């Protein structure tokens, strides 16, 4: 029996690699009590911080906390966080020392945020991932016996002005003592993930995966943009990879010595048979199912395809011959939230069950448009079918901080609620007064994808922006496309009728307000699709990575706000298409 002692997070982390399903059962059967204890512990540790003292005057009373401590967004607490980053003591915000800062991806807004953190965050990640692996073993035969080809990358850790490390959460985690214990079943040696050059790292991870192709049961990345980029990388490098396998010699440009040495051991003796097989598969005109052809025992693709990441489903379905796409966890730089307990469910049916020991969670009730209705409830008090924005109170200085995501309650497992990820909260696209959300855009894109697929085109990259340089303003959707079958010329044939139809079906699926403004009132112009060259979205990712985004945490922004990022796309536009009729009202 684990009991409520599960609260002692460090203990959990120690046992987590050997944990079984009963740990999870125990947690979610005691959600209310565990949440209560988490808050108790956080308040006792932090009551005397400068921040909480302002509201609680040293008390650790939970009712007073709910009454006096304000609900905040990142910008509200940023001045406190910045003071710690600049060298003032941790106890401005946290009773426990702040040991590192998590830099969130923030690619759509262009504003990166830094979150104070400490080992409890990493212990929570380890625990969450270990539990999700238990769930996977339960649902996927042979999961534990096989190898994972999960691509991981790390970045340079830069210091804050006072010398504390600042890095994307997954970089700090991967470099920590916690992660090394998790890396055991991976096809790549741990040191390859630590390589500072992403190109060498990607090449070596692919090489290791190819050599062990018969053992691979699972292929993945945290978020799917990178997985699509890895397939593009393979398209460019398969000849060299197979030549390395044929000769038993790693290419000379792999100069990172730790990578080179560890990968050489895995590469072993020359293997002409395997090299022939790789060349035969990669030479085929169609790359449909390339993942299953090269790694025939793969049972699933592990990558998060809920929320805006659903835009990558068509490309992943194509490359994997529709293997199950598994969104395992819901987590962020602020906290680890929950697990998908039915990992093989279809992306549209994925729900995450919150883990009550991770942080203290509250929920702002919102209507379907994301507007707050003022009620704030505890984890176990959310209502089936209702929409909420989570608030996090964690072990490293965030108190009642808005996460900025909208979730919908889809059910309960024992007492613990399960949530569907709906979207990021803010309106992302607006050229007049219409609030178009990420969810609206994802739906419009799903409609366009059906039209594209019927013409044997696969969407491999997508983003959008509201162009107000035209009068009236209009929506611009950048898309990168791939023909299902290569016509031998490598030139993409674009059918005007198909692309115009895509523009029209997207407009039809947008909100009634959009359609009215576009139709009757004419204050929004015709929706435009700009088709970009192959590789443009890889360049976009490289652009964001050069600005400090993490490859492992990179998510293609659903909407672009940065002028420089737009320029990356604009430089590669092949053709433009406009909707040719007003949408129905
Ligand atoms: P970051 O702090 O950069 O890791 O980004 C965290 C954000 O990524 C979350 O607030 C969500 O908006 C998004 N995210 C994380 N996990 C998921 C998931 N499983 N499904 C959808 N979106 C997710």
């Amino acid at each position: 029996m684990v009991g409520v002692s599960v609260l002692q997070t460090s203990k959990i982390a120690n046992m987590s690699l050997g944990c079984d399903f009963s740990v999870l059962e125990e947690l979610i059967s005691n959600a209310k009590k565990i949440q209560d204890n988490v808050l108790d512990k956080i308040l006792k540790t932090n009551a005397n911080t400068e921040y909480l003292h302002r509201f609680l005057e040293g008390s650790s009373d939970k009712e007073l906390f709910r009454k006096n401590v304000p609900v905040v967004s990142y910008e509200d607490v940023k001045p406190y966080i910045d003071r710690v980053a600049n060298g003032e003591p941790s106890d401005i915000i946290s009773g426990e020392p702040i040991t590192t800062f998590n830099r969130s991806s923030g690619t759509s807004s262009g504003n990166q945020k830094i979150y104070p953190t400490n080992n409890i965050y990493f212990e929570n990640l380890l625990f969450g991932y270990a539990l999700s692996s238990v769930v996977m073993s339960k649902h996927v035969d042979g999961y534990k016996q096989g190898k994972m080809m999960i691509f991981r990358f790390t970045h340079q850790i830069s210091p804050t002005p006072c010398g504390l490390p600042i890095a994307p959460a997954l970089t700090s985690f991967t470099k920590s003592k916690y992660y090394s214990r998790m890396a055991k079943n991976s096809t790549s040696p741990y040191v390859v993930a630590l390589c500072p050059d992403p190109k060498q790292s990607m090449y070596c991870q692919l090489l290791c995966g190819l050599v062990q192709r018969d053992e691979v049961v699972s292929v993945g990345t945290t978020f799917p943009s990178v997985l699509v980029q890895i397939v593009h990388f393979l398209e460019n490098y398969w000849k060299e990879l197979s030549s390395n396998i044929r000769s038993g010699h790693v290419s000379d440009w792999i100069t990172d010595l730790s990578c080179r040495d560890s990968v050489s051991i895995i590469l072993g003796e020359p293997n002409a048979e395997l090299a022939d097989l790789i060349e035969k598969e990669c030479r085929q005109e169609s790359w449909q199912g390339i993942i299953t052809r090269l790694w025939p025992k793969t049972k699933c693709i592990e990558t998060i395809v809920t929320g805006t990441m659903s835009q990558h489903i068509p490309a992943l379905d194509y490359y994997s011959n529709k293997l199950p796409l598994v969104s395992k966890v819901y987590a962020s730089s602020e906290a680890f939230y929950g697990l998908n307990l039915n990992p093989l469910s279809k992306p549209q049916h994925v729900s995450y069950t919150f883990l009550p020991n991770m942080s203290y969670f509250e929920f702002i009730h919102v209507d379907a448009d994301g507007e707050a209705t003022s009620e704030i409830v505890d984890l176990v008090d959310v209502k089936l079918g209702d929409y909420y924005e989570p608030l996090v109170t964690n072990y490293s200085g965030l108190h009642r901080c808005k996460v900025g995501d909208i979730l919908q309650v889809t059910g309960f497992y024992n007492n613990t609620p399960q949530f569907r990820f709906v979207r990021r909260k803010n309106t992302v696209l607006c050229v007049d007064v219409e609030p178009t959300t990420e969810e609206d855009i994802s739906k419009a894109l799903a409609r366009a994808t059906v039209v594209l697929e019927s013409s044997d085109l696969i969407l491999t990259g997508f983003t959008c922006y509201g162009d107000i340089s035209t009068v009236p303003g209009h929506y611009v959707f950048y898309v990168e496309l791939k023909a299902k079958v290569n016509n031998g010329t490598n030139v993409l044939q674009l059918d005007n009728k198909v692309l115009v139809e895509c523009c029209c079906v997207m407009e039809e699926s947008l909100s009634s307000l959009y359609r009215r403004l576009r139709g009757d009132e004419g204050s929004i112009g015709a929706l435009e699709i700009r088709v970009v060259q192959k590789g443009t979205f890889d360049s976009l990712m490289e652009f964001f990575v050069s600005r400090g985004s993490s490859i492992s945490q990179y998510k293609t922004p659903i909407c672009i706000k940065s002028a420089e990022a737009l320029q990356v796309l604009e430089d590669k536009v092949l053709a433009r298409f406009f909707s040719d009729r007003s949408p129905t009202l």
Side-chain angles (χ1 to χ4, degrees), residues 249-443:
H249 178 82
V250 180
S251 293
D252 292 340
W253 63 272
I254 304 299
T255 49
D256 182 294
L257 285 184
S258 310
C259 278
R260 201 177 170 82
D261 293 347
S262 59
V263 173
S264 296
I265 293 170
I266 290 179
L267 183 60
E269 295 298 307
N271 187 342
E273 199 185 331
L274 178 57
D276 287 344
L277 188 145
I278 293 166
E279 286 176 15
K280 182 174 148 264
E281 293 302 343
C282 294
R283 203 164 269 136
Q284 287 187 28
E285 297 221 315
S286 165
W287 266 45
Q288 179 158 12
I290 192 69
I291 295 180
T292 34
R293 287 196 264 132
L294 291 176
W295 293 279
K297 296 194 180 141
T298 311
K299 302 198 169 183
C300 58
I301 306 292
E302 292 184 31
T303 192
I304 292 171
V305 287
T306 44
T308 62
M309 276 78 76
S310 64
Q311 61 162 298
H312 299 288
I313 294 174
L316 295 177
D317 277 349
Y318 177 74
Y319 291 130
S320 75
N321 259 344
K322 300 204 167 171
L323 279 177
L325 301 175
V326 179
S327 304
K328 289 201 306 188
V329 305
Y330 170 40
S332 75
S333 306
E334 298 95 310
F336 190 104
Y337 306 104
L339 295 183
N340 174 0
L341 299 185
N342 285 310
L344 299 182
S345 54
K346 293 261 173 244
Q348 62 274 27
H349 298 138
V350 168
S351 289
Y352 299 99
T353 307
F354 266 51
L355 296 180
N357 58 318
M358 293 296 190
S359 289
Y360 173 60
F361 301 114
E362 293 168 280
F363 294 84
I364 307 180
H365 190 272
V366 296
D367 60 24
D369 292 328
E371 292 306 318
T373 60
S374 82
E375 199 188 345
I376 295 177
V377 294
D378 273 342
L379 178 67
V380 293
D381 295 325
V382 295
K383 301 227 160 37
L384 187 65
D386 283 4
Y387 292 84
Y388 296 92
E389 176 181 2
L391 298 177
V392 170
T393 297
N394 68 14
Y395 288 94
S396 48
L398 295 183
H399 299 100
R400 314 194 88 191
C401 191
K402 291 181 188 174
V403 172
D405 293 336
I406 304 285
L407 311 177
Q408 185 185 24
V409 183
T410 51
F412 291 85
Y413 191 100
N414 293 339
N415 299 329
T416 306
Q418 302 179 301
F419 294 88
R420 171 175 83 90
F421 183 92
V422 180
R423 60 181 163 86
R424 291 288 300 169
K425 185 167 170 225
N426 297 335
T427 296
V428 290
L429 202 49
C430 181
V431 292
D432 195 79
V433 292
E434 80 299 351
T436 296
T437 64
E438 276 184 7
E439 201 185 15
D440 298 328
I441 296 169
S442 296
K443 278 189 191 148

Side-chain angles (χ1 to χ4, degrees), residues 2-261:
V2 181
V4 178
S5 64
V6 286
L7 274 175
Q8 290 160 356
T9 334
S10 54
K11 266 197 199 156
I12 299 173
N14 286 335
M15 58 166 222
S16 63
L17 289 173
C19 68
D20 61 27
F21 210 73
S22 66
V23 176
L24 183 65
E25 296 271 354
E26 195 76 33
L27 273 175
I28 51 192
S29 312
N30 291 300
K32 188 172 166 46
K33 192 162 182 189
I34 294 175
Q35 278 283 276
D36 223 42
N37 288 350
V38 168
L39 181 59
D40 203 49
K41 189 169 173 202
I42 293 174
L43 290 181
K44 289 206 166 106
T45 315
N46 294 324
N48 282 315
T49 59
E50 180 183 321
Y51 182 78
L52 271 193
H53 200 270
R54 272 178 62 199
F55 309 108
L56 301 180
E57 292 174 352
S59 163
S60 53
D61 183 81
K62 285 180 278 203
E63 278 319 306
L64 208 61
F65 170 83
R66 293 187 188 97
K67 193 163 149 247
N68 286 5
V69 176
V71 169
V72 289
S73 58
Y74 176 79
E75 277 63 36
D76 299 317
V77 284
K78 183 174 183 302
Y80 293 87
I81 294 175
D82 287 350
R83 280 171 59 196
V84 179
N86 288 331
E88 290 188 52
S90 299
D91 67 9
I92 290 174
I93 46 173
S94 170
E96 292 284 346
I98 299 301
T99 52
T100 181
F101 287 86
N102 287 342
R103 191 172 64 220
S104 85
S105 45
T107 39
S108 49
S109 64
N111 299 325
Q112 296 193 348
K113 301 171 178 171
I114 56 165
Y115 290 98
T117 193
N118 56 32
N119 280 349
I120 298 182
Y121 176 86
F122 300 118
E123 288 168 359
N124 281 350
L125 278 195
L126 176 65
F127 178 65
Y129 283 124
L131 268 188
S132 89
S133 179
V134 172
V135 174
M136 289 297 284
S137 310
K138 205 168 161 236
H139 287 84
V140 180
D141 276 349
Y143 185 77
K144 270 270 159 72
Q145 288 71 45
K147 289 210 168 177
M148 317 288 150
M149 187 172 69
I150 307 294
F151 292 82
R152 297 225 182 266
F153 303 91
T154 50
H155 294 256
Q156 224 171 353
I157 297 186
S158 45
T160 61
C162 73
L164 286 175
I166 173 166
L170 288 178
T171 285
S172 303
F173 179 59
T174 307
K175 288 190 172 180
S176 74
K177 61 181 182 197
Y178 301 103
Y179 175 77
S180 56
R181 295 155 64 193
M182 238 176 71
K184 271 196 314 215
N185 288 355
S186 171
T187 45
S188 293
Y190 176 49
V191 287
V192 177
L194 302 183
C195 174
D197 174 2
K199 191 171 161 196
Q200 292 192 44
S201 176
M202 197 179 282
Y203 185 90
C204 289
Q205 294 190 53
L206 272 169
L207 190 54
C208 293
L210 285 167
V211 171
Q212 299 165 83
R213 70 187 286 268
D214 284 326
E215 293 170 74
V216 172
V217 289
S218 167
V219 172
T221 49
T222 309
F223 294 115
S225 333
V226 189
L227 193 50
V228 173
Q229 202 207 9
I230 288 167
V231 177
H232 294 166
F233 186 88
L234 182 61
E235 281 187 82
N236 294 330
Y237 284 90
W238 61 265
K239 286 190 185 132
E240 187 174 335
L241 287 159
S242 75
S243 145
N244 285 185
I245 291 171
R246 192 177 296 286
S247 64
H249 178 82
V250 180
S251 293
D252 292 340
W253 63 272
I254 304 299
T255 49
D256 182 294
L257 285 184
S258 310
C259 278
R260 201 177 170 82
D261 293 347

